[in-house]
Amino acid sequence: MEPVAVGLIGAGPWARMAHAPMLAKGPHTRLAGVWARRPEAAAELGAPVFARVEELFEVCEAVAFCVPPAVQAELGARAARAGKALLLEKPLGDSLEAAQRLADAVAEAGVASQMVLTLRYAAQTRAFLARCGEIQPFGGHAANISGALLGDHPFATPWRLQRGALLDVGPHVIDLLDAALGRVTAVRAHGSSLGWTGLLLEHEGGAVSEASLCMAAVGDVPPPTFAVYGRTGTAVLPSFDDDPLDVIAEEFAATVRNGGHPLDAAHGLRLQRIIAEAEAQLAP
């Protein structure tokens, strides 16, 4: 089968580190071209650079996004209306309203979509979730602590500095607890997105989980942790450095050809609703 021709929108640090090499590596995808606000940065990614995003749409079957959430929401809707499948970053948009517009555009156009919730593609995570399904889980906790908002960290970008941990790493943490313990039905939040954020999540079936998020910690910090407790056992996600990008590319190619990925734009919108509810409860 021919590799899927994917256009890339964005040329920032994550595009350089992940999206561009992932899409160019093959065998399931090929990097058909790049559009970015800074053409000189796009030129460093080793693919044709297009001056207009519509020109990029003309040479690809699908579009991958590596831009701030507000830009993704706007250009993602345009790509959907152009009939392109979408590989979307989290969060779906910079607001619930923007995320809703993008998800609506995807649904109305009938195009395939898939979210890059990176943890969910790792073999260790899938084994962890399978274990959770065996232990009749009733509770769990997670922590994602870093100093990514400090100093000259490559991910201390304007939207992260403004919105903080809940909008950035919150989708990863909420998504995994949601997959492990059942759909989140309610959230209570305290603290601050730019400092320490605490979440209490209620899940379908009565399970409850707690999450701690922070991107302003100084010094050495432990790796992210996830643990789930059940009536017949315990599941703990081990620390790992494996790179799941090959799996993302392979599954996205299948999504483009066949549709139907569980981590689609509708799933991203559901996560955004939880995050919006939590943000409304936090101190400014």
Side-chain angles (χ1 to χ4, degrees), residues 142-145 149 163-170 173-174 187-201 210-216 275 278-279 281-283:
N144 191 310
I145 314 300
L149 297 184
R163 301 292 289 277
L166 182 56
L167 197 64
D168 185 22
V169 299
V173 173
I174 295 168
V187 58
R188 282 174 275 172
H190 62 95
S192 164
S193 283
L194 297 180
W196 189 276
T197 301
L199 302 177
L200 176 65
L201 303 173
E210 296 159 315
S212 298
L213 311 174
C214 180
M215 296 173 67
I275 289 166
E279 278 193 316
Q281 300 174 38
L282 294 177

Side-chain angles (χ1 to χ4, degrees), residues 20 36 39 51 57 71 73 106 108 145 154 167 181 203 241 250 253 267:
F57 295 163
V71 180
V106 170
E108 290 166 7
I145 314 300
L167 197 64
L181 289 157
H203 301 260
D241 296 320
E250 180 177 2
H267 181 75

Side-chain angles (χ1 to χ4, degrees), residues 77-283:
R78 288 168 63 181
R81 289 192 289 267
K84 307 304 174 182
L86 308 181
L87 184 63
L88 298 161
E89 268 294 340
K90 53 78 203 165
L92 200 59
D94 63 324
S95 67
L96 181 56
E97 294 76 17
Q100 183 73 64
R101 288 194 296 271
L102 176 51
D104 287 347
V106 170
E108 290 166 7
V111 296
S113 62
Q114 182 176 319
M115 300 290 296
V116 182
L117 291 160
T118 319
L119 277 175
R120 290 287 294 276
Y121 298 90
Q124 294 89 341
T125 302
R126 291 177 172 181
F128 165 74
L129 292 177
R131 172 65 177 160
C132 291
E134 298 170 349
I135 62 173
Q136 301 176 41
F138 58 82
H141 62 71
N144 191 310
I145 314 300
S146 76
L149 297 184
L150 304 177
D152 58 355
H153 194 284
F155 294 120
T157 54
W159 73 268
R160 291 181 174 91
L161 291 171
Q162 180 184 16
R163 301 292 289 277
L166 182 56
L167 197 64
D168 185 22
V169 299
H172 289 301
V173 173
I174 295 168
D175 169 66
L176 195 49
L177 291 171
D178 181 270
L181 289 157
R183 284 198 166 205
V184 174
T185 57
V187 58
R188 282 174 275 172
H190 62 95
S192 164
S193 283
L194 297 180
W196 189 276
T197 301
L199 302 177
L200 176 65
L201 303 173
E202 298 177 18
H203 301 260
E204 284 183 352
V208 178
S209 64
E210 296 159 315
S212 298
L213 311 174
C214 180
M215 296 173 67
V218 178
D220 294 333
V221 295
T225 59
F226 293 86
V228 169
Y229 303 90
R231 294 175 179 82
T232 63
T234 299
V236 177
L237 180 63
S239 298
F240 61 89
D241 296 320
D242 296 11
D243 187 344
L245 296 177
D246 288 348
V247 177
I248 295 173
E250 180 177 2
E251 293 193 8
F252 183 55
T255 296
V256 174
R257 301 297 189 213
N258 307 315
H261 199 280
L263 304 181
D264 60 5
H267 181 75
L269 177 60
R270 190 164 65 83
L271 295 178
Q272 192 107 24
R273 289 195 183 103
I274 298 166
I275 289 166
E277 185 177 349
E279 278 193 316
Q281 300 174 38
L282 294 177

